[in-house]
Amino acid sequence: MATLFGSGIKRREDPRLLTGRGTYTDDVKLPGMLYAAFVRSPFAHARVRSVETKRAKKVAGVVAVYTGQDTKDRVNPVPCAWNVPNCDLRTPPHPLLAYEKVRYVGDAVAMVVAESRAAARDGVDLVDVDYEPLDAVVNPEKATGKEAPQLHADVPGNVAFTWKVSGGDPAKTFAEAAVKVELRLLQPRLQPTALEPRAAVATWNDAMGQLTLWVTSQNPHIHRFLCSVMLKVPEHKIRVVAPDVGGGFGSKIPGYADEALVCFAAMDLKRPVKWTEDRSENYKVTIHGRDHVEYVELCGTKDGTITGLRTRVYAGLGAYASTAAPGIPTILHGLMYSGPYTIPNIEGTVYGVYTTTTPVDAYRGAGRPEATYLIERLVEVYARKIKMDPVVVRRKNLIPKDKFPYTVATGITYDSGDYQGALDKALGMLDYKAFRAEQAKARKQGRYLGVGVTTYCEICGLGPSQVAGAVGFGGGLYDSAVVRVYPTGVVRVYIGGKPHGQGEETTFAQIVADEFGIPIENIEIVAGDTEATPQGWGTYGSRTTAVGGPAVKLAADRVKEKAKKLAAHLLEASEADLEWKDGKFVVRGSPDQAKTFGDLALMANVAWNMPPGVEPGLEASAFYDPSNFVFPFGTHICTVEVDVETGRVKILRYIAVDDCGPQINPMLVEGQVHGGVVQGLGEALQEIAVYDEDGQLLTGTMMDYAVPRASQMPKIETASTVTPSPVNPLGVKGIGETGTIASVPTVVNAVCDALAPLGITHIDKPLTPATVWAAIQQAKGGAR
Amino acid sequence: MTQTITLNVNGQALKAQAEPRTLLVHMLRDELNLTGTQVGCDTSQCGACTVLLDGRAVKSCSVLAVQAEGHKITTIEGLARDGTLHPVQQAFWEKHGLQCGFCTPGFVMTTVELLRDNPDPTEDEIRHALEGNVCRCTGYQNIVAAVRSAASALRGSRRPGAAVSGG
């Protein structure tokens, strides 16, 4: 029987989404439902002198208005759930509604609940807040300075943590190195922009003491836990449903004050309450990503062997430590400083810094794009300094294929890789030599062509729970599945993850269909409802296929083992004499003596004739905890032409060669790469969250924040190599974030390569025409 | 103060109640329970709310409900006929032109209009025509492929004697 694993079948989630029959959170409508809206601070930093709600309460349709004073003793603050150890982490409380101080534009000070969305908005306009403005600070490096305003009483210098990583002997290596290069890199703040804004609908059953919350969540079990903490409701009395979720990119991982407040209102008023943020609210309140100021150095020999890497990073956290924030610029960033290279000596210091801005948390790639960017920029500058081809330098330092598993200087162990293989494939697709010749010819004509190469690997498939505990992550990182077989031989699979576009309703069904030899139409994958699904840890960190996939496989294996026992019993044969063939257990040598999966499903569920000691029913659960992370890798290459008159960058070709091990559905893998690359191209070329000195977000709408459009983006040429991971039984690695991780330095390297004749070694992203033009002018001026 | 609006939605004549300030998208979602049309921004940038008004693609966040008085609206729910997907929907499915699906109804409606006006668009023309719709998941490549595929399917179905597909 042909297997479905490896087949690019059409997605099973699509018919509902294509016909408008999906259910996103804002589509949920309950009888008697009220609407919430929030009064949000227009100041980045201010004392709240008073909040006057009298006028708002008089608005027709307004049912209630809550202030921080009303709620502070009835709810707990938003918790930070990644308490990274050994870094003196300070996470001051983030009250659901501010009552003493506001610390960013958008910090909520009051909630209005009304009979209609419009009435709630009318009420918001009439809440009078008396603010005493304080100084703002938006740059994480400046925020550590002596003159900077202090956000939190118990966080001197606004430093939330000082985290260090080291391996080898970096001090000695740098002191003795023949070649050193250094850069100051900005990794600006980004606005995740999941197309579906966040939303919450809560209903409270007072008699049962039971709360149900529909919410835009990548991880409903984590939301159940966080709501339990904030609302003081026991976890078993909370049901969280994440229905269809319209993109996340990390922004729907954290617990948020507004979502919990919607629950609070539903509990207090004993009526369902809905809230949906609008886009400008989303840009002010939903987490941002990146925000690093980095001082980085690399050293090596004159002939291209990299010997050391050092960093000092100021990572902006925004006003409060969001749910996973401390882990992003540390565990998911600093531990990846070796990249795909054998760098024996590494030292990094990361300062997590509070600023009067929107909290920063995981955004697609989360820490690894920042690491890959600084490594790949340094390698490029180093190659130029020693006058070697950057590809040659990379090849010389890549971890050889026969050295895996390989432990890098930061202490983590990469599972498997063939980095040279991916590099060769990508170079072949471009014909690198031919492009260099074309570039040389173009330069003579006064045209600026460039090629950028990134060889990368990344850490994902988060991850072993023991490691999660050791690095302070406030949860496990296993995942789970329940495979339930119905009497008629059809199957439902309940998973702990919550896909929101990645397609596991299809890929997980492919795994199960192969396992049971049944049509894929007979399988449904169920995710997102804590009432139905086993404890899981959600969809982020490219973990659902790599951790949840094996859980599905293991649970299906267990079902099949039990089915085999039953088959042996019914066929009066020993289990050893049975073989699985074309969806049946067959007695070896007697092809007529067989039981199909359907036969066994029926007989197990009616239990008329079970083997002695075997329970009725046919279902199994599995909790799969991986022994390590997985490390996908690859090579991306981009060629560009830069118009030096206008600063405009034109991408000529974009080539992505990625290795995520065996691909369950190659069409979906390719889709993840396309989307990831374009998100990275946005970061490299046009996206940036801008605050003014007073802490006002200037990119607060989609008119100002430059999300990539179809007309701005190139065609992406994709290919893959296949190196299985030894970590899990499917051999699979994550592919959701690689595109974003690899593409940013690829483009910046290409532009800097194009402008090398002008003496330009680095331009901070995003490489908008204005930025590139200014760098060109500066370089020309400097040359005069 | 609500007003009664008479309009035709997905082939059905109906009356709906709306305040003068109600946007068409909110009337479709809240009053008529047609929740396939989405709201992704508040500045007419994202295109998730695109519907057809008398056959023209409009952003329903930029049309007041009262302006729909007497007009014909087609939403994503009205495209498939008798359980058969519209060729544009079918092409998005086959080419993996969607991931989270939130922007998809808007892209599909914009594409229906594009292909009626230009049955054989080039890649550049497609990318230009889709400028008013934002997708954060797909990187647009498979959306472009879907539009090309739909164009080809629709041209096939428009041969003399063949049935003309909706939109």
Side-chain angles (χ1 to χ4, degrees):
Chain A
M1 185 178 279
T3 59
L4 283 177
F5 193 115
S7 161
I9 61 167
K10 293 202 296 284
R11 291 205 320 174
R12 311 176 71 230
E13 36 280 82
D14 289 359
R16 72 171 187 271
L17 301 175
L18 280 163
T19 53
R21 307 293 178 187
T23 304
Y24 299 91
T25 299
D26 188 61
D27 302 343
V28 173
K29 203 180 202 182
L30 300 174
M33 191 164 75
L34 300 169
Y35 297 82
F38 293 92
V39 178
R40 298 190 179 277
S41 170
F43 294 102
H45 196 195
R47 242 181 281 284
V48 179
R49 284 200 191 116
S50 66
V51 183
E52 183 51 71
T53 62
K54 265 185 211 148
R55 290 201 301 151
K57 282 177 176 163
K58 285 184 191 149
V59 170
V62 167
V63 174
V65 183
Y66 299 96
T67 67
Q69 291 295 346
D70 300 332
T71 53
K72 72 182 168 73
D73 297 326
R74 299 176 66 186
V75 293
N76 285 317
V78 189
C80 173
W82 197 340
N83 293 299
V84 176
N86 308 320
C87 64
D88 195 19
L89 175 64
R90 289 153 195 256
T91 57
H94 182 185
L96 300 195
L97 288 171
Y99 51 90
E100 287 171 335
K101 264 174 104 177
V102 289
R103 293 183 174 87
Y104 64 100
V105 170
D107 213 353
V109 289
M111 169 173 59
V112 178
V113 185
E115 297 286 350
S116 71
R117 188 177 16 228
R121 292 285 187 95
D122 290 344
V124 163
D125 290 344
L126 294 178
V127 173
D128 299 306
V129 187
D130 186 10
Y131 295 101
E132 178 193 334
L134 301 167
D135 287 343
V137 61
V138 301
N139 176 301
E141 186 182 12
K142 281 189 189 156
T144 62
K146 282 203 179 74
E147 325 71 43
Q150 299 293 294
L151 270 75
H152 302 281
D154 54 349
V155 187
N158 298 315
V159 176
F161 61 79
T162 304
W163 182 86
K164 289 175 188 290
V165 60
S166 74
D169 192 345
K172 184 164 178 275
T173 308
F174 271 90
E176 295 171 359
V179 186
K180 282 180 245 181
V181 291
E182 57 181 48
L183 288 169
R184 178 178 189 266
L185 301 175
L186 298 181
Q187 309 237 31
R189 220 172 233 270
L190 302 171
Q191 297 166 200
T193 319
L195 209 66
E196 178 202 26
R198 284 187 305 113
V201 180
T203 183
W204 171 250
N205 183 323
D206 201 41
M208 299 282 288
Q210 210 146 298
L211 174 74
T212 303
L213 169 66
W214 287 265
V215 66
T216 45
S217 171
Q218 299 177 220
N219 30 245
H221 297 89
I222 291 180
H223 270 99
R224 183 179 63 189
F225 168 73
L226 294 173
C227 281
S228 168
V229 171
M230 288 186 271
L231 299 164
K232 310 183 192 182
V233 176
E235 213 182 349
H236 71 300
K237 294 285 196 181
I238 302 177
R239 174 185 179 190
V240 174
V241 185
D244 285 316
V245 175
F249 314 110
S251 71
K252 293 170 183 171
I253 299 171
Y256 288 92
D258 36 37
E259 297 163 3
L261 285 163
V262 168
C263 298
F264 170 82
M267 291 164 65
D268 195 54
L269 300 169
K270 301 177 179 52
R271 286 177 67 179
V273 179
K274 177 193 274 192
W275 162 79
T276 303
E277 64 183 2
D278 58 30
R279 181 58 62 188
S280 49
E281 197 173 16
N282 168 271
Y283 277 165
K284 280 189 300 226
V285 179
T286 296
I287 60 104
H288 293 170
R290 317 280 188 255
D291 199 21
H292 286 199
V293 178
E294 300 174 343
Y295 294 85
V296 299
E297 304 168 83
L298 179 144
C299 68
T301 64
K302 283 178 186 165
D303 64 351
T305 299
I306 301 168
T307 54
L309 183 133
R310 267 198 309 219
T311 75
R312 180 162 50 92
V313 173
Y314 298 88
L317 300 179
Y320 300 96
S322 176
T323 305
I328 308 305
T330 53
I331 308 304
L332 292 179
H333 173 76
L335 294 184
M336 285 308 293
Y337 279 162
S338 198
Y341 308 114
T342 55
I343 306 179
N345 305 287
I346 289 175
E347 185 179 318
T349 302
V350 181
Y351 302 101
V353 185
Y354 293 119
T355 58
T356 55
T357 58
T358 300
V360 174
D361 205 324
Y363 168 62
R364 201 170 193 171
R368 293 96 86 205
E370 297 92 317
T372 304
Y373 184 73
L374 73 86
I375 298 164
E376 290 302 296
R377 285 272 57 233
L378 280 169
V379 169
E380 200 76 8
V381 173
Y382 168 61
R384 200 188 287 183
K385 185 156 185 180
I386 59 174
K387 297 188 170 59
M388 270 177 86
D389 185 301
V391 170
V392 175
V393 173
R394 285 187 169 82
R395 193 185 292 283
K396 191 163 182 169
N397 291 281
L398 287 175
I399 299 164
K401 162 181 174 180
D402 58 359
K403 296 286 186 202
F404 290 91
Y406 184 85
T407 301
V408 290
T410 56
I412 54 175
T413 302
Y414 297 175
D415 58 345
S416 63
D418 177 5
Y419 300 165
Q420 293 83 355
L423 175 61
D424 288 339
K425 191 161 193 171
L427 291 172
M429 284 167 75
L430 173 66
D431 194 342
Y432 184 72
K433 275 186 187 162
F435 183 83
R436 284 291 186 199
E438 189 187 336
Q439 180 187 41
K441 206 169 131 193
R443 277 179 181 169
K444 282 180 192 149
Q445 298 163 354
R447 289 170 56 217
Y448 292 81
L449 268 56
V451 55
V453 177
T454 289
T455 45
Y456 78 94
C457 70
E458 67 119 339
I459 182 169
C460 71
L462 316 180
S465 299
Q466 196 192 346
V467 176
V471 299
F473 184 78
L477 280 173
Y478 58 85
D479 230 292
S480 58
V482 172
V483 173
R484 181 168 296 158
V485 184
Y486 289 59
T488 49
V490 292
V491 179
R492 279 177 99 84
V493 182
Y494 301 83
I495 62 169
K498 175 52 196 162
H500 43 282
Q502 297 85 348
E504 277 86 356
E505 284 177 48
T506 304
T507 53
F508 283 5
Q510 289 178 261
I511 295 172
V512 176
D514 282 351
E515 199 74 15
F516 294 159
I518 57 175
I520 199 164
E521 292 72 25
N522 291 5
I523 303 158
E524 286 295 319
I525 307 294
V526 182
D529 185 347
T530 61
E531 203 81 325
T533 57
Q535 175 69 42
W537 295 97
T539 292
Y540 48 82
S542 299
R543 64 188 304 276
T544 302
T545 300
V547 184
V552 169
K553 164 103 169 84
L554 285 178
D557 281 345
R558 287 174 187 164
V559 163
K560 211 163 148 189
E561 275 168 38
K562 182 169 180 180
K564 189 176 187 183
K565 277 201 178 75
L566 178 57
H569 176 70
L570 295 172
L571 293 165
E572 295 176 356
S574 85
E575 278 186 65
D577 290 337
L578 294 186
E579 58 180 348
W580 177 254
K581 212 176 161 186
D582 298 337
K584 294 176 212 169
F585 282 112
V586 185
V587 179
R588 212 170 266 113
S590 311
D592 298 346
Q593 294 281 83
K595 291 289 174 191
T596 65
F597 182 77
D599 297 337
L600 297 165
L602 178 64
M603 290 308 286
N605 276 289
V606 297
W608 291 336
N609 183 10
M610 295 300 285
V614 176
E615 289 175 5
L618 193 56
E619 72 173 66
S621 61
F623 290 81
Y624 172 75
D625 202 352
S627 59
N628 191 2
F629 302 89
V630 292
F631 296 82
F633 61 89
T635 297
H636 285 209
I637 302 183
C638 172
T639 57
V640 299
E641 176 159 9
V642 181
D643 181 338
V644 292
E645 299 303 322
T646 63
R648 185 169 172 271
V649 174
K650 183 172 196 268
I651 292 179
L652 304 173
R653 287 183 73 184
Y654 195 98
I655 293 163
V657 176
D658 300 286
D659 191 323
C660 62
Q663 301 178 3
I664 302 171
N665 187 320
M667 182 170 78
L668 304 199
V669 168
E670 196 184 63
Q672 288 297 310
V673 173
H674 290 164
V677 167
V678 163
Q679 215 154 343
L681 296 184
E683 175 172 350
L685 294 171
Q686 59 192 58
E687 289 182 41
I688 180 168
V690 182
Y691 280 97
D692 71 11
E693 289 293 308
D694 296 328
Q696 292 295 333
L697 181 65
L698 303 182
T699 49
T701 76
M702 258 195 197
M703 295 174 80
D704 313 291
Y705 187 77
V707 178
R709 309 268 171 168
S711 56
Q712 297 166 320
M713 290 294 120
K715 193 166 171 240
I716 297 144
E717 303 166 51
T718 55
S720 52
T721 58
V722 179
T723 309
S725 171
V727 170
N728 63 66
L730 299 171
V732 295
K733 303 183 180 187
I735 192 69
E737 297 166 287
T738 58
T740 310
I741 289 165
S743 58
V744 184
T746 306
V747 175
V748 177
N749 283 347
V751 173
C752 292
D753 181 62
L755 299 177
L758 300 174
I760 289 173
T761 50
H762 177 71
I763 309 174
D764 278 317
K765 62 189 172 169
L767 302 180
T768 62
T771 301
V772 174
W773 184 84
I776 292 166
Q777 298 315 304
Q778 200 186 2
K780 283 180 174 168
R784 260 178 224 138
Chain B
M1 188 69 157
T2 62
Q3 277 177 246
T4 303
I5 302 160
T6 307
L7 73 172
N8 181 301
V9 179
N10 297 331
Q12 264 193 311
L14 49 84
K15 287 185 197 306
Q17 300 293 320
E19 286 185 50
R21 66 175 169 177
T22 302
L23 302 173
L24 176 59
V25 65
H26 288 139
M27 186 180 75
L28 292 171
R29 290 181 55 79
D30 299 343
E31 299 300 317
L32 305 178
N33 291 316
L34 293 168
T35 53
T37 303
Q38 304 293 357
V39 180
C41 74
D42 42 25
T43 49
S44 302
Q45 292 292 301
C46 80
C49 65
T50 306
V51 301
L52 301 181
L53 191 151
D54 295 337
R56 304 308 303 184
V58 296
K59 291 181 176 176
S60 61
C61 71
S62 306
V63 178
L64 293 168
V66 293
Q67 289 177 290
E69 168 70 36
H71 291 283
K72 199 178 147 209
I73 307 290
T74 307
T75 70
I76 191 71
E77 290 91 345
L79 270 194
R81 297 275 162 82
D82 306 323
T84 304
L85 293 179
H86 185 281
V88 173
Q89 291 170 313
Q90 183 71 29
F92 270 71
W93 192 14
E94 278 166 12
K95 297 294 178 188
H96 187 31
L98 63 153
Q99 290 180 25
C100 82
F102 193 82
C103 71
T104 309
F107 271 94
V108 168
M109 301 314 280
T110 303
T111 303
V112 168
E113 183 193 53
L114 164 69
L115 297 183
R116 197 195 43 215
D117 294 350
N118 181 354
D120 191 11
T122 63
E123 171 153 353
D124 278 352
E125 287 170 340
I126 293 169
R127 286 181 182 267
H128 178 69
L130 298 178
E131 251 177 355
N133 293 73
V134 172
C135 172
R136 191 60 153 166
C137 295
T138 64
Y140 301 106
Q141 189 151 325
N142 287 345
I143 291 178
V144 173
V147 175
R148 290 181 77 105
S149 167
S152 160
L154 281 166
R155 286 198 306 277
S157 70
R158 277 171 191 160
R159 282 193 308 267
V164 176
S165 276

